[in-house]
Amino acid sequence: MTLIRVDKIIGNVNFDKDLASKFEDMSEKERVEIVNVTRLESERIRMRKVSDRGTELALTLPYGSHLIDGDVIFLTDEKIIVIKRASEDVLVVSFHKDMRQDLILDVAIKLGHKIGNMHRPIKIIGEQIFFPMQSNSELELFEKLFISLRDYLDISKDTIIFEPDEGYNIHEH
């Protein structure tokens, strides 16, 4: 079996219309290969992976590279190899809709302080804050941590492809 060396990300099928078209065309011809990576693996610039069709890959990406869902790492007339990011469990925190306006800043700062002390990457979408869970027991842990804020917050669990906001992908404990 031949080892393919990958030294760059070509583009992304979710953001590049030409690549999306090639991806669709090659999907119809069964020439698409998928490489599954976790969020933590997506941060690595050097790794070996095997596609879902058995192609061995050695990735040596430029410093600062970050793999996201839909990245194309190999493209020829014969095949396209695309990154598929794994979904993961996240906690979702949102403010109660009826919270008094004069409490928002106070609650937001206290919430940020508690999440920050846990060294978690975050994603903010609309009025919701997402951060990854490391175990199922963390829902209960964070409910206890946020006990003083419980009258202002909703906490739930979801499963998504988590991509932290730029600059908020801090290390995890």
Side-chain angles (χ1 to χ4, degrees), residues 114 141-151 155:
K114 289 182 183 292
L141 168 71
F142 276 96
E143 285 174 339
K144 287 178 184 175
L145 281 174
F146 300 150
I147 193 82
S148 65
L149 304 174
R150 72 171 180 254
D151 293 336
I155 304 169

Side-chain angles (χ1 to χ4, degrees), residues 29-159:
K29 296 175 184 173
E30 296 185 5
R31 294 183 177 174
V32 173
E33 294 189 29
I34 302 297
V35 174
N36 293 299
V37 297
T38 65
R39 177 176 48 85
L40 296 176
E41 285 177 318
S42 75
E43 300 290 328
R44 295 175 50 198
I45 58 172
R46 287 179 172 60
M47 71 178 128
R48 283 190 172 230
K49 296 296 283 184
V50 177
S51 78
D52 63 339
R53 295 204 179 171
T55 301
E56 290 187 59
L57 301 135
L59 284 81
T60 53
L61 301 171
Y63 181 77
S65 294
H66 174 83
L67 294 168
I68 62 172
D69 194 59
D71 277 349
V72 176
I73 57 172
F74 185 79
L75 177 62
T76 65
D77 290 338
E78 286 76 43
K79 73 170 98 179
I80 183 172
I81 302 178
V82 179
I83 296 294
K84 175 67 178 157
R85 284 277 306 278
S87 297
E88 63 186 300
D89 290 336
V90 296
L91 286 178
V92 184
V93 180
S94 56
F95 295 107
H96 287 172
K97 299 291 182 207
D98 59 352
M99 185 172 30
R100 290 189 348 238
Q101 194 71 23
D102 63 320
L103 294 175
I104 293 175
L105 183 62
D106 182 62
V107 172
I109 290 171
K110 289 175 180 172
L111 176 64
H113 179 74
K114 289 182 183 292
I115 295 172
N117 276 340
M118 299 298 285
H119 300 277
R120 299 298 171 90
I122 62 169
K123 175 79 175 171
I124 299 173
I125 300 174
E127 297 177 1
Q128 295 181 310
I129 302 163
F130 297 79
F131 55 96
M133 295 175 60
Q134 295 174 344
S135 70
N136 284 330
S137 63
E138 285 195 327
L139 178 57
E140 191 176 311
L141 168 71
F142 276 96
E143 285 174 339
K144 287 178 184 175
L145 281 174
F146 300 150
I147 193 82
S148 65
L149 304 174
R150 72 171 180 254
D151 293 336
Y152 312 110
L153 303 175
D154 291 314
I155 304 169
S156 60
K157 178 183 163 186
D158 199 356
T159 303

